[in-house]
Amino acid sequence: MCLAIPGKVIEINAAVSPIMGKVSFGGIKKEVCLELVPEVKIGSYVIVHVGFAISMMDEEEAQETLKLINQMNDLENE
Amino acid sequence: MKYIDEYRDATSAEKLINQIRSVVTHPWTIMEICGGQTHTIVKSGIDDLLPSDLTLVHGPGCPVCVTPLELIDKAVAIASRPDIIFTSFGDMLRVPGSEKDLLTVKAAGGDVRIVYSPLDALKLAQKNPEKKIVFFAVGFETTAPANAMSVWQAKQLGLKNFSILCSHVLVPPAMEAILSSPLNHVQGFLAAGHVCTVMGYEEYITLASKYHIPIVVTGFEPVDILQGILMTVKQLEEGHAEVENQYTRAVRREGNRSAQELMRKVFETTDRSWRGIGIIPKSGYRLRDEFAEFDAENVFDIAAIHTQESPLCIAGQVMQGFKKPHDCSAFGIQCTPEHPLGAPMVSSEGACAAYFHYGKMNYRK
Ligand code: SF4
């Protein structure tokens, strides 16, 4: 039930309260409440749980994690 | 899908497993808190790939599993009334109560509906003014902001026919309960990543130092979990007991402040009873007095309920990491997903269901 998945924000409706929007999960679009991620922009990736964006994805951090794992490998091969 | 596929990559997983193998020199027991992580671990076979010195035990992070029996019975009693539309996340419908589950109520003509979001329950309340809409608000900190928002909105809209049956639970007090038990043998924690997206991880710092235990905030994909295990094992081997964050792409130290603020407005902490475990002090949320009109336990007068748990079920011990599902004599025999005796056999996050679905039957001694 704590299942939460990342998706891309493709629409924001800030005129309503709470703020709503559309998020695409690999092409499947869902209506999502964006009220709790005030810094959200079109194109942002958010983590969605039971119809609510609960966190913004940080692209730099994501890259950093993967880089770390890749380097780990290189060290082993040396 | 972006942010998912990269973290299911087999090459990365293999590297991490090799690293873990090269680091481990002692036997260690690590608990993953969240049932979602348990399912990734069992489904992807991570537990079989790890060095035999490393034992993973499965934590209490399955909201469906820990919702007290008494509350399931209350849900059944409310849902059975004719003036009600009872709404819930799908997982709760098959959780066994003392006599029946919500699905049985539905089959007998009760208006029980599965919703994806608490906001869907709110919409039902607006559309059906002649009915009373009750939402079964279970969940950990991950779900609390959404459920808080539904009540907050109901108040703004002046809805008189919406209430929640609230059974919110909190992770850190449960971790502390496990650590302070004389039976405890957990030496490191993978903290639940999505709980931490909301709450951050500052509250784990005291826990880590008080019990001298490493706590690593960890994501949900196989690569995340393996990296979380590696970080935990490194700390254990080096004698450290710190809070680290593996899930940096989603979790900030301070968490989601907007969500926390909303939760604070709507909820206050309270002692909660955890199914199979018992009462844990200050381990849950209840609605604040200003929102009492939205509390289903106030709205509906429910007669005292005599609860009856299956005598065979050892779910409480499984969820505290003392036992594994296959240590239960009923596992896969009297208790199956079709005929569950306990909640962990029902939920998509329950350890018993994970072991059953991914063929761990033969683990039984
Ligand atoms: S297998 Fe069934 S009866 Fe045994 S602990 Fe799990 S849920 Fe309870």
Side-chain angles (χ1 to χ4, degrees), chain A residues 1-8 17-20 24-28 30-39 44-66 68-77, chain B residues 1-4 6-7 11-12 15-16 18-19 22 34 61 63-64 89 91-92 116-119 123 138-140 142-143 145-147 149-150 153 194-195 197-198 220 223-224 227 230 234 246-252 256 258-259 262 347-349:
Chain A
M1 227 193 68
C2 286
L3 179 74
I5 50 171
K8 187 178 181 177
S17 175
I19 297 169
M20 299 296 290
S24 166
F25 303 96
I28 299 162
K30 268 200 178 276
E31 223 197 333
V32 166
C33 176
L34 299 173
E35 182 75 27
L36 303 175
V37 284
E39 26 347 349
S44 308
Y45 275 79
V46 290
I47 296 193
V48 177
H49 171 68
V50 300
F52 284 74
I54 52 170
S55 183
M56 304 273 294
M57 274 293 185
D58 187 322
E59 171 69 25
E60 267 175 43
E61 289 289 353
Q63 291 305 333
E64 194 56 37
T65 304
L66 294 172
L68 208 83
I69 296 168
N70 276 331
Q71 280 170 351
M72 200 177 272
N73 192 42
D74 296 344
L75 285 177
E76 260 203 357
N77 290 344
Chain B
M1 261 162 54
K2 191 172 159 74
Y3 294 120
I4 292 187
E6 313 91 287
Y7 300 91
T11 323
S12 304
K15 284 166 201 177
L16 285 161
N18 288 338
Q19 285 277 320
S22 70
C34 177
V64 175
F89 297 127
D91 269 7
M92 295 304 292
Y116 160 68
S117 166
L119 290 184
K123 277 187 204 146
V138 299
F140 280 97
T142 321
T143 321
N147 291 348
M149 181 68 89
S150 73
Q153 274 301 109
H194 289 145
V195 165
T197 60
V198 174
F220 291 78
V223 166
D224 290 320
Q227 196 182 21
L230 176 62
K234 272 190 180 160
Q246 179 277 328
Y247 202 29
T248 50
R249 65 186 183 278
V251 172
R252 303 338 140 218
N256 181 336
S258 314
L262 175 68
S347 166
S348 57
E349 293 178 342

